Amino acid sequence: MAKKAVASLQTGSKRLTKAIKMVKSPKTGAYMFIESVMAPEFVDDFLKTK
């Protein structure tokens, strides 16, 4: 029997980026880290927001 390759399995994966931002808490003054997993296009917008 012949094997058949399915191309849709290879195109279904997405490339994701984990971004970590350090933010100073206004209440206590301590620094905390905010982590988020997103597409690479949205990383700059995530880092620019406060």
Side-chain angles (χ1 to χ4, degrees):
M1 290 179 72
K3 290 187 178 181
K4 184 177 178 183
V6 179
S8 64
L9 292 176
Q10 296 174 357
T11 60
S13 65
K14 279 189 148 185
R15 187 171 161 230
L16 297 175
T17 303
K18 182 176 184 180
I20 303 171
K21 179 169 53 170
M22 187 169 69
V23 179
K24 188 173 184 178
S25 174
K27 194 174 191 180
T28 63
Y31 286 96
M32 58 185 179
F33 295 95
I34 299 175
E35 298 179 7
S36 181
V37 177
M38 64 192 77
E41 300 89 40
F42 304 119
V43 172
D44 289 335
D45 295 332
F46 173 73
L47 294 176
K48 287 180 185 178
T49 60
K50 287 192 173 188

